Amino acid sequence: MFSVSTEQSVVPSSTSTKQMMEAKIINDPIWGPIELHPLCIRIIDTPQFQRLRYIKQLGGISFVYPGACHCRFEHSIGTSYLARSLGLELQKNLAMLDEPNKPDITDKEILCLEVAGLCHDLGHGPFSHLFDQLFIPKFKKPGDQTWEHEDATLHMLDSIFKIITWNDYLEDEDIKFIKDLIKKPDDKEQKKPSPNEKPDEKEQKKPFLYEIIANASSLQGWSTMVKNGTSVIQNQHEYYNLFDMFYTRYTLHRQAYHHPVAKAVELMITDAFVKANKSLLFPPNQQRYNQKTLSESKDDMRAYLWVTDDVLNQIRFLNSDNNVELEEAQQIINRIFQRDLYKLVGEKRMKCIAGTVSPGDLKEGMEQILKSCGIRRDLFEIMVVTFNYGNGNENPLINAKWYHKVKGVKESENGEKDGNKSTLYQNIESSVIYESDAYISDMLPKTFEQKYLRLFWKGTKSEELYYEKIKLEFSKIKTFQDQKRNTVEFVDTILDRLPLSSNTEV
């Protein structure tokens, strides 16, 4: 899939001979030939980065779509390329602006963007988001902060910079900048600079740089640039092209990322991980007191270095020694490879008719309802799935700033007028874009988010009576109300094809 060559180079002539010798070109299957900075090559050639070869980008989706088996390794290289490309484009466009206080983007900042894009996923665990969204929450204790893979990314980054040479290209402040690009510190966590420290002028003058790698809200980065005096020109006729991008994102989540069978597989892998947690110890071949379990590994980069998708096969090869939980984990994994998967019993579209019910309260409440009907808790799993366009229930383009080109000419430096170039732009208020008949289509959605409640059956074929019972009880649930009287109304969208029997007894 990838080929590396040092025989060809597109390094600019201004680049040092040393950099030209160290630079490499990777032939990426999507983006074509990608030139990699020498510092990026050093990072790639570390165990911390090579680990990403063994972590699937899309979790369990390859069990549904066999071709969806690419890894975080190639994804990160592509992200590095795109971050650099965007940085160069912004640098060029900002240089062309005729504004007195315009910010500029330095070559070193572009390198920092490139490194941040390359390293932004170093902290992912086995099967990517399965690890931080499904597995780790099983071990969260009251009062614990929510762990995100970005937390481990920053620790992995520290490990890399301890073993490579980087000070020939970067300084200490650049390392901090790279970390902030990956995970911008929370306002509450940001400390006031000491008397010897300078205020972070970069964040004040160029906040849009922090939205390139860790974009918190769709096009927020673009709107931030406009708010700070940088003219980012977007013609309103591009509205539909941009909207199609977000619609494609929604479609991928609906058809692939949240495919019921893919989620069923991920639930099975999660259950296997939980049951085998104490039997999985990292790093290998160490004294027990120096090892971490799977759930503990995220806090120790020596251990986390060994935690990849390979964990699934490690569980299969462990000697159970009458360890019941480990045996159960192995049975679950065998079921995956024999295609005896958890099944989607039903799915309900949710509509809040009074207040908002939290996913946690809804999940717990539905579990209690089903258990009260005589359904064993170990035989089912409740999941709340959210589909949107990337900005909650708001139009993602609400953050975009739209400009309309108007007729006008600009005098050149020698006083002549160029009638072929119009450089006057007028801002179009969002109300015009979203409400005016001149710019909005009746075919655009009014709602941008939908939540679904899914019920998965975890039993085997020998427990079909329980399956039919739970399907019947799930079909009867039409509303749910929490203790605060927040109420959700349900509409069935999927029920399995097995016939419902009102006389089922278990």
Side-chain angles (χ1 to χ4, degrees), residues 39-40 43 108-120 122 150 153-154 157-158 160-161 164 166 169-185 200 202 209-210 213-214:
L39 182 58
C40 292
I43 293 172
K108 184 178 285 189
E109 286 170 346
I110 292 178
L111 175 58
C112 290
L113 283 172
E114 191 174 358
V115 172
L118 184 70
C119 298
H120 77 289
L122 286 171
E150 290 88 354
T153 292
L154 300 185
L157 199 58
D158 287 336
I160 287 177
F161 284 126
I164 68 169
W166 52 267
Y169 293 110
L170 301 176
E171 298 176 8
D172 290 340
E173 62 184 26
D174 300 317
I175 303 300
K176 178 184 180 302
F177 178 46
I178 290 171
K179 290 182 178 181
D180 290 346
L181 289 173
I182 294 173
K183 184 175 182 180
K184 189 175 180 181
D200 195 340
K202 195 189 304 291
L209 293 177
Y210 296 83
I213 306 299

Side-chain angles (χ1 to χ4, degrees), residues 49-61:
F49 192 89
Q50 292 293 319
R51 168 182 175 271
L52 298 182
R53 289 183 183 272
Y54 310 103
I55 297 177
K56 286 189 174 61
Q57 172 81 11
L58 300 178
I61 293 178

Side-chain angles (χ1 to χ4, degrees), residues 76-94:
S76 297
I77 292 175
T79 303
S80 176
Y81 165 76
L82 291 179
R84 173 180 171 81
S85 299
L86 180 54
L88 289 171
E89 190 69 18
L90 289 172
Q91 184 186 56
K92 180 182 69 174
N93 291 339
L94 286 170

Side-chain angles (χ1 to χ4, degrees), residues 216-236:
S217 56
S218 306
L219 289 174
Q220 184 63 44
W222 298 104
S223 62
T224 302
M225 281 188 267
V226 177
K227 292 175 184 175
N228 287 273
T230 304
S231 299
V232 179
I233 308 303
Q234 294 179 332
N235 190 305
Q236 76 274 14

